[in-house]
Amino acid sequence: MQLLEIECLGKTLKLEGSMAGWQQLFWGEQCVSQISASADNDNFSHQFSLQSEHGDIQVNLNGALQWQPFALQFQLLVNDELLHENTLTEKDIEQRQVIQGKKQPMKISFIGLAGLGLKLFKSAKVIKVLFAAGSLAAYSWLFSVEFAIALIFCLVFHEYGHIKAMKYFGLKTKGIYLIPFVGGLALSDDKINTRWQDIVISIMGPFFGLILSIACLVGYWLTDIEVLAGLAVFNALLNLFNLLPVLPLDGGHVLKSIAFSINSRVGIVACVLGAILGVYVSYHFGLALLGFLLAIGSVEIFFEYKRRHLSELLPLNRYAQIVSILWYVITLGGLSAIIWLVGQTDNDALSLPLKILSS
């Protein structure tokens, strides 16, 4: 990932690095210094020379890097004179604007046309209305108009959780799109810089869904209106599905961010044990399908952990890892509990989500 970007003698000086200790220093587009991967690269020193009319110019970039919690202290010296000195934290990385790479020459292909179609899809506001109408018509044809309206409400509420998180981090949003037979999609114009941003944006959708299901369930207990119970349980099932630890679902993004951030055997063991516990609890309560999908997710933990050094996003610190795991478990457990509680009634329709998970 990009650790540092500052101006130096008329060009941009960029420092790239990974948790494994590997570092590369670029002056403009030229790589001027490199450090091999090593666990002992907390303190670093890059040196390179530039030629000018007045002789050689010696440039030194020295500093100390700590990944968890993230802190980068650096000094830039030119001919032994201090040019820049600063300390960067996770907040600085979080607020950094992501610079897009150079545009490649246009090539006519199906992939290119698909990408162009996606850009048009994201930029045309009228598409939102057309897709929303299409979703209403599709779900009304499958179920009923009343159920279709309730389902769309749940989808919009879920996606609004993602939008709310994006705005919290100052990201520009394109809004919510409803895709017939697929669900919803919250889009942003900006790219994220940290794994914490990925965690919060991903989990806020299901967390908003949990809040909605709890509100509907409380309303059902107070009024005995079964429509509220149905909304609570089917909304819980929808959001529970999104929390499954399989990409590209929200739970898959949470799993990936946690796994990419773990840099110790203790961390990976804790994640695996947590996944095994989730599988056991699922089978204990007869949620066979949920247990099976959680088992798949636990296998993915290992592969994501092996690829953790390849990420360009700032990893989670220890505190954020713990908070992310607890947030995920609480949200997953809350949604499962709602499905299990409502499924104990004699109403076949209300117990359908529980039967699906028990299959």
Side-chain angles (χ1 to χ4, degrees), residues 215-341:
C216 291
L217 191 59
V218 171
Y220 166 66
W221 286 338
L222 294 175
T223 63
D224 286 331
I225 300 176
E226 288 191 341
V227 173
L228 293 176
L231 188 61
V233 70
F234 281 99
N235 178 66
L237 180 64
L238 171 71
N239 285 276
L240 184 66
F241 176 78
N242 270 279
L243 270 184
L244 294 176
V246 180
L247 290 169
L249 301 179
D250 295 331
H253 282 279
V254 174
L255 166 70
K256 187 174 183 178
S257 289
I258 294 174
F260 266 135
S261 302
I262 295 173
N263 197 24
S264 67
R265 293 181 179 179
V266 175
I268 190 65
V269 168
C271 267
V272 172
L273 289 178
I276 293 174
L277 178 62
V279 173
Y280 170 76
V281 171
S282 299
Y283 278 99
H284 178 74
F285 285 99
L287 309 179
L289 178 60
L290 179 60
F292 174 73
L293 292 172
L294 285 174
I296 295 176
S298 64
V299 174
E300 288 190 12
I301 291 176
F302 174 76
F303 294 105
E304 295 294 349
Y305 171 73
K306 296 293 288 184
R307 299 173 56 234
R308 68 190 184 279
H309 296 313
L310 303 178
S311 172
E312 295 183 355
L313 302 179
L314 182 67
L316 303 169
N317 58 41
R318 293 284 181 262
Y319 172 75
Q321 290 173 24
I322 295 172
V323 171
S324 300
I325 293 172
L326 290 177
W327 196 357
Y328 176 81
V329 170
I330 290 172
T331 307
L332 184 73
L335 294 169
S336 301
I338 290 173
I339 294 173
W340 187 82
L341 284 171

Side-chain angles (χ1 to χ4, degrees), residues 76-127:
L76 177 63
L77 301 120
V78 176
N79 288 337
D80 295 327
E81 292 186 9
L82 184 64
L83 189 64
H84 286 289
E85 183 178 26
N86 202 357
T87 299
L88 301 180
T89 64
E90 183 172 344
K91 284 294 182 183
D92 298 305
I93 300 296
E94 206 172 77
Q95 297 170 3
R96 185 178 62 196
Q97 183 179 2
V98 178
I99 305 298
Q100 303 289 341
K102 288 186 176 181
K103 294 184 178 179
Q104 299 297 323
M106 183 177 293
K107 297 180 181 179
I108 299 176
S109 66
F110 288 111
I111 296 177
L113 291 175
L116 178 60
L118 180 60
K119 289 183 179 180
L120 292 174
F121 161 72
K122 293 194 294 184
S123 61
K125 293 183 179 180
V126 68
I127 296 296

